[in-house]
Amino acid sequence: MTSLKDIRAQFLEFFASRDHFVAPSAPLVPQNDPTLLFVNAGMVPFKNVFTGVETRDYKRAASSQKCVRAGGKHNDLDNVGYTARHHTFFEMLGNFSFGDYFKDGAIENAWDLVHRQFGLPAEKLTVTVYHTDDEAFDLWRKISGLPESRIIRIATSDNFWAMGDTGPCGPCSEIFYDHGEHIPGGPPGSPDEDGDRFVEIWNLVFMQYEKHGDGSQTDLPKPSIDTGMGLERIAAVLQGVHDNYDVDLFRTLIAASVDLTGRKAEGADAPAHRVIADHLRATSFLIADGVAPSNEGRGYVLRRIMRRAMRYAHQLGVRDPLLARLAPLLVREMGGAFPELGRAEPLIVETLKSEEEKFRSLLDRGLKLLDEETENLPAGAALPGAAAFKLYDTYGFPLDLTQDALRREGREVDVEGFDAAMKAQREAARRLGGVGRRRR
């Protein structure tokens, strides 16, 4: 079996052999973009290079960039544990060209890597191009030999990437792997494309235009390349599994979680072990990169991730700190590629232990209140927003934590009522000249 560690190394070695500078992962806290909470894509550390604000002494690069998506536009938190491919923390493999090679080089590199280096059969691969990008269509046909039926033109923004409302942009080309007829779903662009049969494994972005405030586009003086391949997704493909949580790293973390809790990762308990494994990665890497749990900003997102994992550990019957006991295993598994984990291991363990102990008493009281609020509700009725806000305001339960706790009962939360209660408290605090009760 090709391990996740091996895949990461093969990717970087492949591009190093093609004269790419292998850039170390940047910290999760963006160094060049105050608009982002966390680095959420491989190109973020190179953003100023693409826009021309900054220059480097190399024109092509490759990296395995650590990313977090747990807030703002890219918020995958609620789905983690319940789907095959959602994570809060993930690694983005990418290669980049800053005015050097363009579409031909990007497509040739991609095909050589996935087909020749990784050995994925051509008959299992399908690609998409932007519907007007005849150049990319012709290059794929020439370089890969794929039939035209598996070079699909897509007319939507799914195949046109933009950095923002203004700035560099361009058409995309995505590579999909076909997991087989036994899995529901159709190819990209089809009515049932949302099924799990065809999974996107790599996105090639051809940055060739600049978008202006009036909506017009002009050619960039130096067209560039930005690609992104989720390491966990390609590992699932290469390891012959359909679920990211079945790759070697997650199997190791989940097995340790099972040993410590005495509860198998089956049935209703399976999502809990997945959440714990995923959130362990996110929290440990965030702490290693200098984020501390707090009541605002990045620290609040970290605390939300921690507390979601802790609630699932509680659901498994755990009363002693669990994440803190799992952290050394994560450091052993990933510390070779990310030495900052080893340097920060004592801080990671102590922070997790402290937060777990602090939250345990709040969790017990909060869940008791939640039970009291729901016991007289009709089956399937939503929890009133005022009750959800009380949990948030009094016990430090974020809304998504309450929603998670009710998921097993098939209940939802009156989100509009929650928002109204939040607004009312803020307005009352302003009238009193205070800031209101702070989140715990």
Side-chain angles (χ1 to χ4, degrees):
M1 179 186 69
T2 304
S3 71
L4 189 144
K5 295 176 186 176
D6 290 339
I7 296 165
R8 182 195 301 115
Q10 285 179 33
F11 180 93
L12 296 176
E13 289 167 4
F14 174 87
F15 281 102
S17 71
R18 299 195 172 196
D19 300 322
H20 288 67
F21 172 75
V22 176
S25 174
L28 285 167
V29 177
Q31 309 296 298
N32 61 350
D33 190 340
T35 68
L36 289 176
L37 272 178
F38 306 113
V39 170
N40 57 19
M43 60 77 57
V44 171
F46 301 110
K47 179 178 177 180
N48 288 341
V49 184
F50 285 123
T51 59
V53 174
E54 180 186 348
T55 58
R56 305 276 175 95
D57 57 4
Y58 48 84
K59 291 185 176 181
R60 48 177 74 180
S63 68
S64 183
Q65 174 62 44
K66 51 192 179 183
C67 300
V68 164
R69 292 183 179 178
K73 176 183 176 184
H74 296 292
N75 184 2
D76 291 338
L77 190 60
D78 294 346
N79 293 314
V80 172
Y82 293 91
T83 69
R85 282 173 283 281
H86 277 102
H87 302 286
T88 50
F89 174 95
F90 63 96
E91 288 183 63
M92 184 75 83
L93 302 172
N95 61 290
F96 311 91
S97 166
F98 312 113
D100 188 12
Y101 61 83
F102 196 42
K103 292 180 186 178
D104 53 350
I107 292 172
E108 185 172 338
N109 284 331
W111 185 251
D112 282 351
L113 181 68
V114 299
H115 181 53
R116 298 189 176 92
Q117 179 82 7
F118 287 162
L120 297 183
E123 60 270 19
K124 286 282 193 177
L125 299 172
T126 294
V127 300
T128 64
V129 297
Y130 193 57
H131 67 124
T132 59
D133 194 350
D134 295 332
E135 181 184 8
F137 186 96
D138 292 340
L139 283 167
W140 271 115
R141 187 170 50 184
K142 174 185 174 183
I143 291 170
S144 71
L146 288 174
E148 293 188 4
S149 60
R150 294 213 312 278
I151 307 173
I152 301 171
R153 295 180 185 264
I154 301 291
T156 66
S157 59
D158 287 347
N159 274 68
F160 196 93
W161 181 90
M163 187 174 286
D165 293 334
T166 61
C169 61
C172 302
S173 181
E174 296 179 328
I175 305 173
F176 288 77
Y177 181 79
D178 179 1
H179 277 283
E181 294 180 356
H182 62 290
I183 295 173
S190 68
D192 54 350
E193 65 179 356
D194 291 333
D196 285 336
R197 175 177 171 180
F198 291 84
V199 174
E200 178 210 331
I201 58 172
W202 206 352
N203 185 16
L204 317 179
V205 179
F206 309 130
M207 287 199 278
Q208 62 187 107
Y209 306 115
E210 181 169 6
K211 186 190 296 184
H212 304 285
D214 61 2
S216 63
Q217 290 178 178
T218 55
D219 291 340
L220 285 174
K222 292 183 178 180
S224 297
I225 292 296
D226 157 32
T227 84
M229 172 193 285
L231 176 56
E232 295 78 6
R233 286 194 182 196
I234 190 63
V237 169
L238 293 175
Q239 292 179 20
V241 296
H242 184 250
D243 193 315
N244 289 8
Y245 289 91
D246 287 333
V247 304
D248 60 313
L249 172 64
F250 277 108
R251 284 205 312 273
T252 298
L253 295 177
I254 289 171
S257 179
V258 168
D259 287 343
L260 289 174
T261 61
R263 299 273 286 267
K264 294 181 179 180
E266 299 174 353
D269 287 342
H273 288 289
R274 289 171 171 232
V275 167
I276 289 164
D278 174 273
H279 291 9
L280 173 69
R281 289 206 305 171
T283 55
S284 298
F285 274 94
L286 285 169
I287 294 167
D289 279 347
V291 181
S294 69
N295 292 327
E296 57 189 14
R298 296 185 177 96
Y300 179 57
V301 176
L302 170 59
R303 180 166 279 166
R304 282 178 61 202
I305 298 171
M306 284 181 172
R307 289 186 171 182
R308 186 169 187 258
M310 293 167 192
R311 193 195 72 76
Y312 277 98
H314 186 278
Q315 177 182 303
L316 293 172
V318 176
R319 296 299 178 263
D320 296 323
L322 176 63
L323 297 180
R325 288 184 286 163
L326 288 170
L329 173 61
L330 176 73
V331 173
R332 288 198 299 273
E333 289 293 316
M334 299 192 71
F338 301 98
E340 63 270 24
L341 278 180
R343 293 192 294 267
E345 182 175 349
L347 176 62
I348 293 168
V349 171
E350 182 56 37
T351 302
L352 288 171
K353 182 179 179 182
S354 174
E355 284 291 309
E356 288 185 88
E357 291 174 344
K358 185 187 304 181
F359 188 53
R360 190 185 312 125
S361 60
L362 289 174
L363 184 61
D364 288 336
R365 295 200 301 271
L367 290 175
K368 182 180 178 182
L369 175 62
L370 185 58
D371 288 340
E372 292 171 355
E373 292 286 349
T374 57
E375 64 181 356
N376 294 320
L377 289 176
L383 179 73
F389 181 74
K390 183 179 179 182
L391 278 165
Y392 164 79
D393 193 42
T394 306
Y395 297 107
F397 264 49
L399 176 61
D400 55 4
L401 199 64
T402 301
Q403 290 170 318
D404 257 342
L406 294 175
R407 191 192 295 246
R408 274 186 156 188
E409 300 178 23
R411 294 188 190 274
E412 297 182 350
V413 176
D414 173 14
V415 177
E416 289 185 5
F418 177 90
D419 291 340
M422 174 79 79
K423 182 179 179 182
Q425 190 213 52
R426 287 174 174 168
E427 289 175 349
R430 280 196 293 270
R431 286 196 298 271
L432 293 172
V435 295
R437 185 178 292 156
R438 292 178 62 82
R439 295 182 292 268
R440 286 170 172 74

